[in-house]
């Protein structure tokens, strides 16, 4: 996963970004929880440090769409790992991540938003 240029992915067209992030999800899911947290931590940190708001939101929107396609139990685990990874960031980066993720959640299709929100509890 370290060979992925997350900023380049964030700048792709929506369909290309979805395909690349789908590959990333496929690599991430079989890993142990600690490996998932570490991988997501590094990706989120890179985005929070280097991406502009548009790139960040584009990636968030794609990730929310892909995550919502997971079965509920997998989605719950993914969201828990994602929140843990974000929570381990320095405060300013974690706050930026949370803010842009919430903004993106407000922009996605209602079905995606409902499924993500329901599985965050």
């Amino acid at each position: 996963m370290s060979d992925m240029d997350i900023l380049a992915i964030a700048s792709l067209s929506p369909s290309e970004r979805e395909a690349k992030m789908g590959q990333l999800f496929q690599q991430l899911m079989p890993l142990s929880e600690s490996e998932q947290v570490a991988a997501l931590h590094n990706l989120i940190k890179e985005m929070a440090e280097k991406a502009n708001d548009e790139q960040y939101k584009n990636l968030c929107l794609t990730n929310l769409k892909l995550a919502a396609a997971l079965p509920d139990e997998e989605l719950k685990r993914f969201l828990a790992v994602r929140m843990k990874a974000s929570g381990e960031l320095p405060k300013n980066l974690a706050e930026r991540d949370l803010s842009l993720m919430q903004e993106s959640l407000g922009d996605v299709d209602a079905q995606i938003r409902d499924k993500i929100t329901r599985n965050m509890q």
Side-chain angles (χ1 to χ4, degrees):
M1 288 194 357
S2 58
D3 62 340
M4 290 210 166
D5 181 348
I6 199 70
L7 290 176
I9 293 170
S11 300
L12 294 172
S13 72
S15 61
E16 291 173 316
R17 188 171 53 249
E18 189 172 335
K20 285 286 189 188
M21 290 309 299
Q23 292 172 2
L24 182 65
F25 264 65
Q26 293 303 316
Q27 292 174 16
L28 190 64
M29 295 317 261
L31 300 176
S32 70
E33 182 178 321
S34 62
E35 291 171 320
Q36 289 178 352
V37 170
L40 284 174
H41 177 271
N42 291 336
L43 291 174
I44 297 167
K45 184 174 189 267
E46 183 176 354
M47 287 300 294
E49 289 176 338
K50 299 177 181 176
N52 64 38
D53 286 357
E54 181 182 354
Q55 290 170 317
Y56 207 111
K57 283 184 60 178
N58 284 343
L59 205 59
C60 287
L61 293 169
T62 301
N63 289 339
L64 288 166
K65 181 178 180 182
L66 291 169
L70 296 170
D72 283 353
E73 286 307 310
E74 283 184 47
L75 178 56
K76 284 178 187 173
R77 283 192 299 275
F78 173 76
L79 292 172
V81 165
R82 171 79 174 66
M83 291 186 336
K84 185 173 183 179
S86 178
E88 293 178 359
L89 293 171
K91 186 179 182 201
N92 64 321
L93 300 180
E95 287 174 352
R96 180 169 189 237
D97 179 61
L98 179 62
S99 173
L100 290 170
M101 186 56 81
Q102 287 176 332
E103 196 174 316
S104 298
L105 192 57
D107 291 345
V108 293
D109 181 81
Q111 287 182 309
I112 293 172
R113 182 174 41 256
D114 292 346
K115 184 169 182 183
I116 297 287
T117 304
R118 184 177 69 247
N119 283 281
M120 288 174 103
Q121 273 80 39

